[in-house]
Structures are given as structure tokens and as C-alpha cells.
Amino acid sequence: MMEERKIIHVDMDAFFAAVEQRDKPELRGKPVAVGFDGERGVVSTASYEARKFGVHSAQSIQVAKRLCPQLMIVLPDFHHYKAVSEQVHRIFLDYTDLIEPVSIDEAFLDVTHNKKGMPLAVDIAEDIRRRIREELHLTASAGVSYNKFLAKIASDYRKPDGLFVIHPDKAMAFVSRLRVEKFWGVGPKTAVRMHSMGIFTGEQLREVSKHHLITVFGKVGAVYYDFARGIDPRPVETEYIRKSVGCEQTFTQDISLKSAVLIELYHTVLELVGRLKRSEFIGKTLTLKVKYADFTQITRSLTAHKPLKTKADILPLAKKLLAEVEYSGSHPIRLMGLSVSNPHTEDELVRHPEWIEGSLPFED
């Protein structure tokens, strides 16, 4: 019989805003948004005081200020946030080496065999939260269960500054009541699709066959099938594997002239090439993202037969993707982004050693 895993998901509460409030006493207890206070600024993180007014991440700063006129806006300091994140990570390392960072402010920990010899994962989670509070003067929420899916759901259940455990004996009942919108990997569009199928809860999702879910949602349908049964075999992966590199730019003014759009596309390509070089990423799928003035957005992608690394590789493909995008004076572009994804496999790199950095150098 396999040993039952003990997984913790730790999620820092309103991380960027909380760091700013910790370091700047004048911000404590006030509604705070981290972002650029400009016409095109976007909220990166909102404090819980601001969230009470409807302010949230990815929201326009201008909208946020209308919702909360007393909102205090702080420019982000990502280098500082990264340094604080590393302090949190060092606390994790006192308990286990099996740590999978999800982002700068959250991570999974496998504490099945932990350094402290503590038998209960809930005690480890509480001790981690205590140390973050006492040593860093920040709060974190944590979820505990036997797999990553349930631990992630649990960490969201009592935010902020909360701890929740989903015990194996109660997992099926918990998932049965869970709204599908809360399932990891179910976004707004997928939720609408599920609702149209009469699926609103985990129990209703469990009634749909795996074959039908795969027919409707593709490969991820099999994941939904497992999640509805409390199954998630994915291990906590300590080695971070980059899956894409990208960049995007929100323009100070909406653009619609073809010449202006092409100029911005060119600059975006140069920025992307620089990021690919710095990250030593090798991928073959290029994606163009366009957001319009009305905040609707589209993406267009294509996959090349060789690595996308240089301006010569990327610019012609970017222009080809742009040709598929409609825009005009009445439907101008607010934001443009490019990313390279679909990293090459080890087998491909063995067959094509010239693709490896050093054999085929990046070009500006």
C-alpha cells in the first residue's frame, strides 16, 4: 500500500501590497494598490482594505480609483519582493527540500518525510505560518491535503491568514459540494461551457464520463475527471521548468495606424529576443496577444519547425500573425504582446545539437 502524501500549499496574502504596508507605516490599514498610477496603469496587487471596494488585480488603475477614491497607489519594487520571497523560501527549507514554487508568492511543499520529524502536516503548516508572521511580519494562508489539487483549493478556503485541511476521509464530500469555478484549471470560459452542460458542482462533474469530458475539453477533460474524484497524482516538482518567455506593452495611447502598429511590433520582437537570450530558452511556438481599447483580447499562434531565437526567426512570423488581426480607428489596439513557448524536448536537442546555446548563438 502506497504511503499517503502530505502536501501543503502556502499562499502569501496580498503579497506585494502587504510588503509595502509592512515597510511603510503610513500605508497600514489603508486601501493600497500596487501598480503604475497612469492612464494605462493596471493593478498588480490590491490590499484587503482595497478589495472591500471591489479593487482587484489586473484591473485598470483608473477603474480602481473610481471604485475607491481614497486608494493609495504604490509603484512596484519587484527586486524587493523577490528578496522577501527568498526569505519565505528559506523558512520552507527548514522543513523540506521538496518545494515547488508556483509563483513569487506561493509554493507547494511535500512534507511526507520532513526534516522536523513532525507527524502532522497541519502542525507544519501552522508552524510555517507562525514563523512568517513573527520573522517577516507578513501573513500567509495554507492548505493541507494529500495532493496538490486539494491543497491548493484548501489554501484559498480561509484567506486571508487562514489554514484549512481537507482530510482524505472527507475529500469526496468536499469536492462534491465544490463549485466548478473553484476547480484548479477551470477558467471563466470553461465554467460557462460546463454550466451549459448542466455541470455546476463537483458531484455533477463526477457524473460525466471521461470520454465525454475529453471530447468536449480535450486532454484536460481527463484532468477534470480525476479532480472530481479527488485524484491528482502530480508530484511536487522541485526543479522549475520554464515553459514560455514573453513580453507585452500597454501603449500610452491606443494605436490603429498600420505603420504605428508595425513599429510597436518591431520593438516588441526586439524585447522578446533579448529576453530569450537572457533566459536561454529554446521554443518553437510564437503567440501574438492583442488587447483592444474595449479590453477584449485575442491571441494568434503558429509553430515553426526550428527554434525561435533571433529577430530573423521571429519578425516574419510575428508579421504573419499580425496580418490575421483586425484593427481600425474605431477598434484600436491598447496592448500588444509576444511570447515563445513549446520548448524543445531533450530528444530533439540530441538530434539537433546546433540548436543549443553556444552552438548557434543568439543574434540581436
Side-chain angles (χ1 to χ4, degrees):
M1 183 175 179
M2 290 186 62
E3 183 178 22
E4 188 174 275
R5 293 190 298 163
K6 300 172 184 177
I7 309 297
I8 300 172
H9 180 260
V10 180
D11 193 355
M12 301 299 294
D13 298 322
F15 184 51
F16 298 167
V19 171
E20 295 293 346
Q21 289 179 313
R22 181 196 68 176
D23 296 344
K24 299 170 183 174
E26 67 274 16
L27 299 179
R28 293 173 192 167
K30 304 289 180 62
V32 174
V34 176
F36 174 66
D37 188 6
E39 185 178 348
R40 297 305 173 110
V42 175
V43 176
S44 177
T45 306
S47 69
Y48 283 94
E49 295 88 349
R51 296 182 190 191
K52 294 177 182 178
F53 293 86
V55 179
H56 58 79
S57 60
Q59 185 178 64
S60 161
I61 285 286
Q62 300 307 312
V63 171
K65 288 164 72 173
R66 286 197 293 272
L67 291 170
C68 181
Q70 65 270 46
L71 187 66
M72 304 180 76
I73 301 167
V74 183
L75 279 172
D77 184 349
F78 294 112
H79 291 293
H80 183 46
Y81 305 149
K82 183 179 179 182
V84 177
S85 176
E86 290 171 353
Q87 292 177 319
V88 175
H89 192 88
R90 284 196 288 272
I91 291 176
F92 296 159
L93 284 169
D94 285 343
Y95 299 86
T96 179
D97 291 326
L98 296 178
I99 303 166
E100 180 181 341
V102 180
S103 64
I104 193 172
D105 62 346
E106 60 177 309
F108 287 104
L109 289 71
D110 187 330
V111 296
T112 309
H113 302 284
N114 60 85
K115 297 178 181 179
K116 301 285 188 179
M118 299 171 70
L120 298 180
V122 64
D123 291 340
I124 297 174
E126 187 54 68
D127 204 42
I128 288 172
R129 293 177 63 250
R130 176 190 60 78
R131 290 187 56 188
I132 290 172
R133 182 170 56 251
E134 293 178 0
E135 298 174 23
L136 304 181
H137 306 289
L138 297 167
T139 65
S141 295
V144 179
S145 197
Y146 59 91
N147 62 40
K148 289 164 68 173
F149 164 61
L150 291 171
K152 168 67 174 173
I153 296 295
S155 69
D156 290 335
Y157 206 67
R158 286 185 177 157
K159 287 183 72 71
D161 196 18
L163 173 62
F164 189 71
V165 180
I166 300 177
H167 192 274
D169 293 342
K170 299 180 180 179
M172 288 294 281
F174 181 89
V175 172
S176 292
R177 298 189 301 269
L178 195 66
R179 300 283 298 182
V180 292
E181 294 91 332
K182 298 293 185 180
F183 274 61
W184 198 11
V186 175
K189 292 182 179 178
T190 301
V192 170
R193 187 75 180 272
M194 288 186 176
H195 292 171
S196 71
M197 297 166 62
I199 304 171
F200 295 87
T201 66
E203 183 176 18
Q204 292 168 328
L205 180 60
R206 198 181 301 142
E207 294 171 355
V208 184
S209 71
K210 179 185 287 190
H211 175 77
H212 189 56
L213 288 173
I214 293 174
T215 300
V216 176
F217 299 106
K219 292 181 180 179
V220 74
V223 176
Y224 298 149
Y225 179 87
D226 283 346
F227 281 179
R229 288 158 177 76
I231 299 170
D232 181 6
R234 294 172 302 163
V236 171
E237 298 178 319
T238 58
E239 184 174 342
Y240 173 73
I241 301 174
R242 183 182 287 275
K243 297 182 179 179
S244 67
V245 170
C247 58
E248 60 183 41
Q249 176 66 36
T250 300
F251 309 125
T252 54
Q253 292 184 328
D254 299 332
I255 58 175
S256 58
L257 287 176
K258 183 176 181 180
S259 58
V261 174
L262 285 171
I263 289 172
E264 294 297 344
L265 182 71
Y266 180 82
H267 290 309
T268 305
V269 168
L270 294 183
E271 172 67 19
L272 178 60
V273 169
R275 294 193 180 200
L276 290 168
K277 181 177 181 179
R278 290 190 294 273
S279 64
E280 299 183 1
F281 182 81
I282 301 176
K284 54 188 177 182
T285 297
L286 181 68
T287 299
L288 171 68
K289 172 184 174 182
V290 170
K291 182 180 289 185
Y292 295 103
D294 60 3
F295 287 89
T296 59
Q297 69 178 44
I298 61 170
T299 58
R300 297 289 184 269
S301 299
L302 57 78
T303 298
H305 66 279
K306 67 174 184 176
L308 301 176
K309 301 171 70 175
T310 70
K311 182 181 73 175
D313 296 330
I314 297 171
L315 185 58
L317 301 182
K319 288 181 177 179
K320 185 175 181 179
L321 291 174
L322 183 63
E324 300 176 11
V325 176
E326 295 182 1
Y327 56 90
S328 64
S330 59
H331 196 40
I333 296 174
R334 170 189 175 88
L335 173 149
M336 183 185 296
L338 284 171
S339 65
V340 170
S341 59
N342 194 8
H344 286 283
T345 65
E346 289 187 13
D347 288 343
E348 287 176 309
L349 294 177
V350 169
R351 294 198 305 271
H352 300 279
E354 73 277 9
W355 289 354
I356 301 174
E357 170 70 3
S359 300
L360 180 63
F362 288 96
E363 297 174 2
D364 293 328

